[in-house]
Amino acid sequence: MEELTTKVTEEDLKNGVEDEFGVVYSRDGKRLLKCENRNLKSYTIKEGTMIVCTKAFWDQFYLEQITIPNSVIVIGKNAFEDCDGLKYVDIPNSVTTIEDNAFSNCSSLKKIEIPNSVISMGCMTFAGCINLQKVKISASIKLISIGNGAFLECFKLRKIEIPKSIMFIGNRAFENADNLN
């Protein structure tokens, strides 16, 4: 059985299965390893996928919309980092972990909702999302900490509701989020 990790090796890619859109999955379909298609605008991750691996969609400049199924539990480090065109992403209620820099520098992202299933949100998760205006964190969330620099340089962020479950907010979590009320 394949180990469910966010890290991708050359061996993983060599043994992976590429779909018709140029997205490579592990043989068992539980891990989305990498998107090879540099011109993808919209994509629906296959049902049954549990892990969106590290740098899976990194620097996919044209990607505007991603649909994540309810089977995904982890969004890996840098998974969508530098996806400048990403405007729409719905994080399903199955996701428990959003790792470091998962959505950093997604400059077209305007709003995001963190579902109540999320337990861990890493450092710099949405850092550099310069047009992010609204973040909704479920009131019944299990999340206990917001990582260092999580919303760093989210210049247009105006509103974020922080639930009572949050016990720790990391250093520079909201640095340069000057429009925050």
Side-chain angles (χ1 to χ4, degrees), residues 83-95:
C83 289
D84 292 335
L86 189 63
K87 296 175 185 175
Y88 309 103
V89 62
D90 286 324
I91 300 172
N93 209 22
S94 58
V95 173

Side-chain angles (χ1 to χ4, degrees), residues 98-101 120-125 146-150:
I98 303 172
E99 293 186 346
D100 299 351
N101 294 90
S120 173
M121 193 168 83
C123 298
M124 309 287 283
T125 311
I146 294 174
N148 295 338

